[in-house]
Amino acid sequence: MVGFNMRIGHGYDIHQLTSGDHISLGGIEITCPYAIVAHSDGDVVIHAICDAMLGAAALGDIGQHFSDEDDANKNCDSKHFLQHIDSLIKEQGYKVGNIDVTIIAETPKLSPHIQNMRASLTTVLGIELQQINIKATTNEKLDSIGANQAIACHAVLILQDKNET
């Protein structure tokens, strides 16, 4: 740690959608007529949070830690990535202060799943429910997201010195 009490990180991820029977978001499976095209499970929420954590700690990006060219990451549950990155963050002397997530998808309707996503992520990260906010919006039928061809997510978070209260 270089003498900072707080560090801010931003993450973004986007994946193509195809026909299927479910997608993984925020560590849960959501039944819908889509699947995410990705090397891992394609959980854009977790991938954006991972990149935000790594960015805040100046530790690169998710692709540097989990290459899509590595067969060990094929179809991998993204919660594994998040657990590993959380360990790296803690080794650097930080803990998650709070996380704010915005999912951008035309469908499926995500509001019924937000509390389950929050609960899943708090379990993986060992944080309180009030430390994570998730919201969803559409792209008003514009571009690839609006045409149900893709799903995206932004995440912003604060890391703080793990010795601070």
Side-chain angles (χ1 to χ4, degrees), residues 102-108 136-142 145-146:
T102 303
I103 305 165
I104 310 157
E106 215 61 36
T107 58
T137 190
T138 69
N139 233 26
E140 301 295 330
K141 303 197 184 304
L142 298 172
I145 294 172

Side-chain angles (χ1 to χ4, degrees), residues 33-48:
Y34 301 103
I36 294 175
V37 178
H39 187 72
S40 68
D41 64 6
D43 189 323
V44 294
V45 173
I46 289 181
H47 295 182

Side-chain angles (χ1 to χ4, degrees), residues 43-89:
D43 189 323
V44 294
V45 173
I46 289 181
H47 295 182
I49 292 171
C50 287
D51 268 345
M53 292 172 78
L54 291 166
L59 293 174
D61 64 45
I62 193 171
Q64 292 174 287
H65 294 267
F66 300 100
S67 171
D68 62 2
E69 295 179 12
D70 185 346
D71 286 339
N73 299 323
K74 182 76 174 152
N75 300 317
C76 190
D77 184 334
S78 292
K79 288 184 281 190
H80 166 73
F81 302 158
L82 188 58
Q83 289 167 333
H84 178 76
I85 291 167
D86 189 46
S87 294
L88 293 177
I89 296 307

Side-chain angles (χ1 to χ4, degrees), residues 66-149:
F66 300 100
S67 171
D68 62 2
E69 295 179 12
D70 185 346
D71 286 339
N73 299 323
K74 182 76 174 152
N75 300 317
C76 190
D77 184 334
S78 292
K79 288 184 281 190
H80 166 73
F81 302 158
L82 188 58
Q83 289 167 333
H84 178 76
I85 291 167
D86 189 46
S87 294
L88 293 177
I89 296 307
K90 288 176 179 164
E91 287 173 14
Q92 294 290 314
Y94 296 109
K95 64 181 179 182
V96 172
N98 74 299
I99 304 171
D100 186 33
V101 170
T102 303
I103 305 165
I104 310 157
E106 215 61 36
T107 58
K109 186 165 179 62
L110 296 175
S111 58
H113 306 286
I114 286 176
Q115 292 307 325
N116 289 337
M117 284 188 256
R118 289 176 69 209
S120 171
L121 293 168
T122 60
T123 299
V124 174
L125 293 170
I127 61 176
E128 300 295 321
L129 202 57
Q130 68 268 19
Q131 290 176 270
I132 184 162
N133 185 61
I134 299 176
K135 53 203 175 296
T137 190
T138 69
N139 233 26
E140 301 295 330
K141 303 197 184 304
L142 298 172
D143 74 23
S144 60
I145 294 172
N148 291 318
Q149 296 171 345

